[in-house]
Amino acid sequence: MKVLHLAAGNRWTGAAAPAFAEVEALRAAGVDAHYAYVGGYKLQAKLGHYDFAHPVIEKAQHPWAFARTVEKLESIIDHHGFDVVHAHLSYDHLLARTVTRGRNIAVARTFHARRVLRSDPFTRFLLRGTPLRFVINDAFRELQPEAVFTPPPVDHRQFRPDGPKLELEPPVVTAIGKLSKGRGFEDVLHSFAILRTHLPNVRLMIIGHGEHRPVLEQLAQSLGVDVIWAGYHEDALAEHYRASNLLLFTARGSDEGHRAVIEAMACGVPPAVYPLEGMHALVDAAHIAAAPTPEALAATAVALLTREPLGEAMVARSQEFSYARAAQRLIDAYGA
């Protein structure tokens, strides 16, 4: 079996990371899987050394750029003879339908966010020629009941409990994401302020960067809490997780598979999360706050931090999202 994944995102966050992880998972399982992405950004510097990653999707998304991208994709398809073209974003979906026209190639699509689960004429047109459908969030099957749930794969070579870590005095609770308005960091800070009334020595680390940080810094100051602003990390991310005793997760990201929750668990870090869509497919009820409020999240965090160590249980749970399990889900769906 030969599979080509398309992801037109221009940065590692969003759909790009889980899409690439699926390609790596398939290759580890013996499938000849390739990855096509947008060239010319930092993403190319990260992926350029992989011979199965092709920076052939053009930056612009106008008719002339689309035609040039189609030509490049057709050349790759002619060379490798793919059986499946798997799209991850709507632009990819249109590319996939175009390059497979007149060919004996199946089209697949993963939906990474609820906002793209539409029923407009254009989406219905794309789906008519798409027999293979996947969702990265289990709750999305309400709108795509025939879709297969494929949660973000976790790379256990990087995200594991052993290995180097930041030297921070425990206990440390961590939050991660882009520091933008609406990404839940105000609730993280309020939850942490409440948490400190129960566990005065607990510390907060926030991983990420963004334009909203000055606002968050002012809020932290007004709440009288100190924050370790760790900045954005990719390669050293596991080192930051391993320095943590708990992950606070309060809002969905641009990709709604809640990948950070799975990565933290793979490092042995239990999550305390808001009751977000699809979260019950990732963690058990003890990790999910009773309501999307700082008070409820703080109560969940206190309960988890005062339990016996949960590291082994978290690592065991993360195996459900391993490369091997991810590859098998995809292979089974492609084969069917």
Side-chain angles (χ1 to χ4, degrees):
M1 182 184 296
K2 297 185 177 183
V3 182
L4 174 65
H5 281 242
L6 310 180
N10 59 16
R11 52 178 61 90
W12 189 239
T13 54
F20 185 77
E22 288 188 339
V23 171
E24 283 203 309
L26 287 167
R27 293 184 68 84
V31 175
D32 187 9
H34 289 245
Y35 184 72
Y37 65 100
V38 179
Y41 293 99
K42 290 182 179 179
L43 190 59
Q44 187 169 353
K46 183 180 183 69
L47 303 180
H49 64 286
Y50 293 103
D51 60 3
F52 60 87
H54 311 283
V56 296
I57 302 177
E58 296 211 3
K59 291 182 180 181
Q61 293 188 358
H62 53 65
W64 296 274
F66 182 87
R68 290 193 295 267
T69 298
V70 166
E71 185 178 0
K72 294 174 187 176
L73 288 173
E74 287 178 337
S75 177
I76 292 174
I77 290 170
D78 288 339
H79 180 72
H80 291 280
F82 294 111
D83 304 295
V84 178
V85 174
H86 190 143
H88 287 268
L89 299 172
S90 295
Y91 188 70
D92 309 324
H93 201 169
L94 181 58
L95 285 168
R97 285 293 312 275
T98 302
V99 298
T100 59
R101 188 169 48 204
R103 299 171 184 260
N104 187 27
I105 300 175
V107 176
R109 168 70 191 272
T110 295
F111 292 95
H112 289 260
R114 178 171 283 275
R115 67 181 181 277
V116 299
L117 288 161
R118 299 184 292 262
S119 59
D120 58 275
F122 179 66
T123 301
R124 292 200 303 270
F125 159 73
L126 291 177
L127 287 174
R128 276 198 298 270
T130 307
L132 296 165
R133 304 177 191 181
F134 304 89
V135 289
I136 204 163
N137 185 309
D138 190 51
F140 295 169
R141 289 197 284 185
E142 298 169 6
L143 297 176
Q144 284 286 325
E146 72 280 17
V148 177
F149 173 46
T150 49
V154 63
D155 185 354
H156 283 95
R157 297 167 301 179
Q158 177 183 4
F159 297 102
R160 62 185 196 275
D162 61 302
K165 65 179 182 179
L166 298 185
E167 295 299 327
L168 297 176
E169 189 69 27
V172 176
V173 297
T174 295
I176 184 171
K178 186 177 181 181
L179 303 186
S180 297
K181 188 176 181 180
R183 293 294 291 268
F185 287 102
E186 286 85 356
D187 281 13
V188 166
L189 291 170
H190 282 288
S191 299
F192 177 63
I194 298 169
L195 179 59
R196 287 187 71 234
T197 65
H198 298 275
L199 300 170
N201 63 331
V202 70
R203 308 176 73 188
L204 173 64
M205 174 169 60
I206 292 180
I207 304 169
H209 61 190
E211 74 287 347
H212 200 52
R213 176 171 165 174
V215 175
L216 298 173
E217 288 177 333
Q218 290 178 4
L219 177 58
Q221 186 176 9
S222 70
L223 292 171
V225 298
D226 293 324
V227 177
I228 301 167
W229 301 96
Y232 176 77
H233 293 277
E234 288 180 11
D235 296 336
L237 184 52
E239 297 176 24
H240 289 71
Y241 282 137
R242 285 192 285 263
S244 309
N245 300 93
L246 189 77
L247 177 75
L248 298 178
F249 196 85
T250 56
R252 62 188 183 185
S254 55
D255 182 277
E256 296 175 28
H258 313 317
R259 179 165 55 98
V261 171
I262 297 171
E263 292 173 346
M265 288 194 297
C267 293
V269 181
V273 304
Y274 267 6
L276 302 170
E277 275 194 331
M279 198 60 79
H280 283 282
L282 307 183
V283 298
D284 63 41
H287 297 267
I288 303 176
T293 65
E295 293 80 9
L297 186 65
T300 300
V302 170
L304 291 170
L305 286 169
T306 54
R307 285 176 59 178
E308 70 279 2
L310 295 170
E312 289 186 9
M314 295 298 96
V315 174
R317 174 60 181 153
S318 76
Q319 294 301 319
E320 176 64 23
F321 314 104
S322 68
Y323 272 19
R325 296 297 298 273
Q328 196 59 55
R329 279 188 282 264
L330 289 167
I331 291 168
D332 289 346
Y334 294 155

